[in-house]
Amino acid sequence: MLLAVAVAGHRFWLSPAWDPTQPFDFRARPTPVTRLKIMLLNRDEALCRTALTTAPLALHPAPVSGACPVPDAVRVTNGVVPTRPGSFLASCRLAVDWALFERDIVVPETRAFYGAAPQAVTHVGSYDCRDVRDRAGRLSAHARADAIDVSGIVLANGRNILVSAWHGPDSAFLHRLRDGACRFFGIVLSPDYNALHAAHLHLEASGWGMCR
C-alpha cells in the first residue's frame, strides 16, 4: 500500500526534470534521468511531439504520403547551427536527436578544436524513398525520414571540414563528431564502416547502439 501511494504521488516530490514520466524538455538542466527521457521519447510519439516543441529548431509540419509515408514528418529550416542545404525533412525523433547533436556535440567540439562556433553543417539529404543501398528489398531509414547524412562542418572562416577527409589533418575532430553523435543517434555509420559511407556520417534515429 505504501509503495502504491509513493508511486501514485511521485509528482508531488519529483520536479519535472527528475520525473521519468514527464516529457523531455530541452530547456531543463540535465539530470541523471535525462538520458532515460530521450530513450522513451524515441518510442512514444506523444512524448516526442511534446519534447519537439521545446527544441531550438525552426520547423513546420510536412507530412509525406505516397510509397514511403511519414505522417509525422517536419521540415527543419534552422537550428543552433544552420544547415546547407538550408532545410531537410525529419521524423519527430530525428529532429529531436538532431537538435541535441547540434547543441551538445557540433558547437562545443568545433569551439574546442577551432576556437569558434561553426558557420554551418553540410548534408547530402535525409528523406529518400529507397532501399538500403547494398541490401535490395530492405527499406532504408531514409525512407522513414529517420536518418540524415552529414558531409561536413563549415568553420567561421568559411573552411569546410569534409568527412571525406576522414584520415586527414582534421581526423581527430571528425572522429569526435562521430563518437559524440553516438550519444544520441541509434545508428551512426562513418567512413570506418564501409566505402558507401566514405564521404558522410549516416546519423539514424532508429536502432540501438551501432557506432562504427
Side-chain angles (χ1 to χ4, degrees):
M1 175 64 73
L2 288 176
L3 178 61
V5 171
V7 172
H10 72 279
R11 289 182 183 172
F12 292 104
W13 52 270
L14 276 182
S15 69
W18 284 82
D19 185 348
T21 69
Q22 295 300 297
F24 171 69
D25 189 329
F26 278 88
R27 300 162 300 188
R29 285 178 173 272
T31 73
V33 181
T34 298
R35 188 59 199 158
L36 175 60
K37 287 174 173 280
I38 295 170
M39 291 172 64
L40 290 174
L41 70 81
N42 280 332
R43 300 184 179 186
D44 188 309
E45 183 65 26
L47 287 176
C48 187
R49 283 290 183 189
T50 301
L52 196 56
T53 65
T54 71
L57 296 173
L59 46 79
H60 61 269
V64 178
S65 58
C68 299
V70 188
D72 72 328
V74 292
R75 180 162 291 281
V76 179
T77 57
N78 206 354
V80 176
V81 184
T83 56
R84 297 180 184 173
S87 70
F88 62 92
L89 280 175
S91 65
C92 179
R93 58 186 177 179
L94 177 63
V96 168
D97 288 354
W98 178 260
L100 288 165
F101 173 63
E102 282 193 321
R103 186 190 71 180
D104 296 350
I105 306 300
V106 175
V107 171
E109 292 295 352
T110 305
R111 284 188 182 278
F113 274 83
Y114 303 105
Q119 188 178 105
V121 179
T122 60
H123 68 90
V124 289
S126 57
Y127 176 76
D128 188 0
C129 186
R130 62 171 175 82
D131 290 344
V132 177
R133 296 201 185 280
D134 58 349
R135 300 181 186 180
R138 179 176 175 180
L139 204 62
S140 168
H142 288 284
R144 303 187 301 271
D146 261 350
I148 184 170
D149 292 336
V150 170
S151 57
I153 303 293
V154 182
L155 302 182
N157 62 9
R159 186 163 73 93
N160 195 354
I161 308 298
L162 296 172
V163 175
S164 58
W166 188 249
H167 299 291
D170 298 293
S171 176
F173 169 69
L174 292 170
H175 280 72
R176 286 289 289 273
L177 285 185
R178 189 270 311 276
D179 295 346
C182 295
R183 289 172 47 192
F184 303 115
F185 294 94
I187 294 176
V188 177
L189 304 177
S190 72
D192 284 343
Y193 181 59
N194 64 16
L196 291 174
H197 298 85
H200 67 267
L201 299 176
H202 171 87
L203 308 180
E204 183 176 332
S206 51
W208 293 100
M210 188 171 184
C211 180
R212 297 279 299 277

